[in-house]
Short mmCIF file of all heavy atoms in Angstrom, two decimals:
data_model
loop_
_atom_site.label_atom_id
_atom_site.label_comp_id
_atom_site.label_asym_id
_atom_site.label_seq_id
_atom_site.Cartn_x
_atom_site.Cartn_y
_atom_site.Cartn_z
N ASP A 148 10.81 8.64 -9.95
CA ASP A 148 11.99 8.02 -9.47
C ASP A 148 11.83 6.53 -9.06
O ASP A 148 12.72 5.89 -8.61
CB ASP A 148 12.57 8.74 -8.25
CG ASP A 148 11.60 8.82 -7.12
OD1 ASP A 148 10.37 8.50 -7.29
OD2 ASP A 148 12.01 9.16 -5.99
N ALA A 149 10.62 5.99 -9.40
CA ALA A 149 10.34 4.62 -9.01
C ALA A 149 10.58 3.69 -10.23
O ALA A 149 10.19 3.99 -11.39
CB ALA A 149 8.88 4.50 -8.61
N ALA A 150 11.21 2.59 -10.00
CA ALA A 150 11.48 1.61 -11.00
C ALA A 150 10.20 0.81 -11.41
O ALA A 150 10.08 0.38 -12.58
CB ALA A 150 12.60 0.63 -10.56
N MET A 151 9.34 0.65 -10.42
CA MET A 151 8.14 -0.14 -10.71
C MET A 151 7.14 0.12 -9.58
O MET A 151 7.44 0.75 -8.55
CB MET A 151 8.50 -1.63 -10.71
CG MET A 151 9.04 -2.12 -9.39
SD MET A 151 9.73 -3.81 -9.47
CE MET A 151 8.31 -4.72 -9.97
N VAL A 152 5.91 -0.34 -9.79
CA VAL A 152 4.87 -0.33 -8.77
C VAL A 152 4.80 -1.69 -8.08
O VAL A 152 4.82 -2.71 -8.80
CB VAL A 152 3.55 0.06 -9.35
CG1 VAL A 152 2.41 0.02 -8.25
CG2 VAL A 152 3.55 1.47 -9.94
N SER A 153 4.86 -1.68 -6.75
CA SER A 153 4.78 -2.98 -6.05
C SER A 153 3.90 -2.77 -4.79
O SER A 153 3.23 -1.72 -4.73
CB SER A 153 6.20 -3.41 -5.61
OG SER A 153 6.84 -2.47 -4.79
N SER A 154 3.80 -3.76 -3.96
CA SER A 154 2.92 -3.60 -2.77
C SER A 154 3.55 -4.19 -1.57
O SER A 154 4.54 -4.95 -1.61
CB SER A 154 1.56 -4.33 -3.08
OG SER A 154 1.72 -5.74 -3.04
N PHE A 155 2.94 -3.89 -0.47
CA PHE A 155 3.40 -4.45 0.80
C PHE A 155 2.27 -4.50 1.88
O PHE A 155 1.22 -3.92 1.65
CB PHE A 155 4.53 -3.64 1.37
CG PHE A 155 4.21 -2.26 1.80
CD1 PHE A 155 3.82 -1.87 3.09
CD2 PHE A 155 4.32 -1.21 0.85
CE1 PHE A 155 3.50 -0.59 3.38
CE2 PHE A 155 3.95 0.05 1.15
CZ PHE A 155 3.59 0.38 2.46
N PHE A 156 2.48 -5.23 2.93
CA PHE A 156 1.58 -5.32 4.05
C PHE A 156 2.32 -4.80 5.27
O PHE A 156 3.51 -5.17 5.46
CB PHE A 156 1.12 -6.72 4.35
CG PHE A 156 -0.03 -7.19 3.42
CD1 PHE A 156 0.24 -7.67 2.14
CD2 PHE A 156 -1.33 -7.14 3.87
CE1 PHE A 156 -0.80 -8.12 1.37
CE2 PHE A 156 -2.36 -7.59 3.05
CZ PHE A 156 -2.08 -8.06 1.80
N LEU A 157 1.65 -3.99 6.03
CA LEU A 157 2.16 -3.71 7.41
C LEU A 157 1.61 -4.78 8.35
O LEU A 157 0.39 -5.06 8.40
CB LEU A 157 1.59 -2.29 7.88
CG LEU A 157 2.33 -1.11 7.36
CD1 LEU A 157 1.61 0.14 7.93
CD2 LEU A 157 3.74 -1.06 7.70
N MET A 158 2.55 -5.39 9.07
CA MET A 158 2.14 -6.47 9.97
C MET A 158 2.35 -5.97 11.37
O MET A 158 3.45 -5.63 11.86
CB MET A 158 3.05 -7.73 9.74
CG MET A 158 3.06 -8.20 8.30
SD MET A 158 1.47 -8.70 7.64
CE MET A 158 1.03 -10.05 8.74
N ILE A 159 1.24 -5.81 12.07
CA ILE A 159 1.19 -5.19 13.43
C ILE A 159 1.03 -6.34 14.48
O ILE A 159 0.01 -7.12 14.38
CB ILE A 159 0.05 -4.19 13.63
CG1 ILE A 159 0.15 -3.13 12.50
CG2 ILE A 159 0.14 -3.55 14.97
CD1 ILE A 159 1.42 -2.28 12.46
N PRO A 160 1.91 -6.50 15.46
CA PRO A 160 1.86 -7.57 16.36
C PRO A 160 0.66 -7.50 17.34
O PRO A 160 0.23 -6.37 17.62
CB PRO A 160 3.13 -7.56 17.10
CG PRO A 160 3.54 -6.10 17.06
CD PRO A 160 3.06 -5.61 15.72
N PRO A 161 0.15 -8.66 17.78
CA PRO A 161 -0.92 -8.58 18.78
C PRO A 161 -0.33 -8.21 20.12
O PRO A 161 0.86 -8.16 20.37
CB PRO A 161 -1.36 -10.06 18.81
CG PRO A 161 -0.22 -10.88 18.45
CD PRO A 161 0.54 -10.02 17.41
N THR A 162 -1.27 -7.85 21.05
CA THR A 162 -0.79 -7.39 22.40
C THR A 162 -0.16 -8.49 23.16
O THR A 162 0.70 -8.21 24.02
CB THR A 162 -1.99 -6.87 23.16
OG1 THR A 162 -3.04 -7.88 23.23
CG2 THR A 162 -2.64 -5.57 22.54
N ASN A 163 -0.43 -9.72 22.84
CA ASN A 163 0.18 -10.88 23.51
C ASN A 163 1.31 -11.46 22.71
O ASN A 163 1.62 -12.68 22.83
CB ASN A 163 -0.83 -11.95 23.83
CG ASN A 163 -1.49 -12.57 22.58
OD1 ASN A 163 -1.38 -12.01 21.51
ND2 ASN A 163 -2.14 -13.70 22.77
N ALA A 164 1.95 -10.71 21.92
CA ALA A 164 3.03 -11.20 21.02
C ALA A 164 4.20 -11.76 21.84
O ALA A 164 4.38 -11.41 22.95
CB ALA A 164 3.53 -10.11 20.08
N THR A 165 4.93 -12.69 21.21
CA THR A 165 6.12 -13.21 21.88
C THR A 165 7.19 -12.14 22.06
O THR A 165 7.03 -11.00 21.58
CB THR A 165 6.75 -14.31 21.01
OG1 THR A 165 7.20 -13.75 19.77
CG2 THR A 165 5.75 -15.40 20.71
N GLU A 166 8.24 -12.46 22.76
CA GLU A 166 9.26 -11.46 23.09
C GLU A 166 9.87 -10.90 21.80
O GLU A 166 10.44 -9.76 21.85
CB GLU A 166 10.37 -12.10 23.92
CG GLU A 166 11.10 -13.25 23.28
CD GLU A 166 12.22 -13.82 24.15
OE1 GLU A 166 13.00 -13.03 24.63
OE2 GLU A 166 12.24 -15.05 24.30
N HIS A 167 9.86 -11.62 20.68
CA HIS A 167 10.37 -11.13 19.46
C HIS A 167 9.44 -10.40 18.58
O HIS A 167 9.79 -9.93 17.52
CB HIS A 167 11.00 -12.23 18.66
CG HIS A 167 12.03 -13.10 19.45
ND1 HIS A 167 13.13 -12.48 20.10
CD2 HIS A 167 12.10 -14.42 19.73
CE1 HIS A 167 13.81 -13.44 20.73
NE2 HIS A 167 13.24 -14.64 20.50
N GLY A 168 8.18 -10.32 19.03
CA GLY A 168 7.10 -9.73 18.23
C GLY A 168 7.36 -8.27 18.00
O GLY A 168 7.74 -7.54 18.91
N ARG A 169 7.21 -7.82 16.77
CA ARG A 169 7.46 -6.44 16.43
C ARG A 169 6.73 -6.15 15.12
O ARG A 169 6.40 -7.04 14.30
CB ARG A 169 8.96 -6.13 16.21
CG ARG A 169 9.62 -7.03 15.18
CD ARG A 169 11.13 -6.75 15.12
NE ARG A 169 11.87 -7.60 14.20
CZ ARG A 169 12.34 -8.82 14.52
NH1 ARG A 169 12.30 -9.30 15.74
NH2 ARG A 169 13.04 -9.45 13.63
#
Side-chain angles (χ1 to χ4, degrees):
D148 59 347
M151 62 189 300
V152 176
S153 58
S154 75
F155 64 93
F156 281 81
L157 281 180
M158 307 300 297
I159 307 297
T162 54
N163 63 343
T165 66
E166 60 178 311
H167 306 307
R169 57 183 178 270

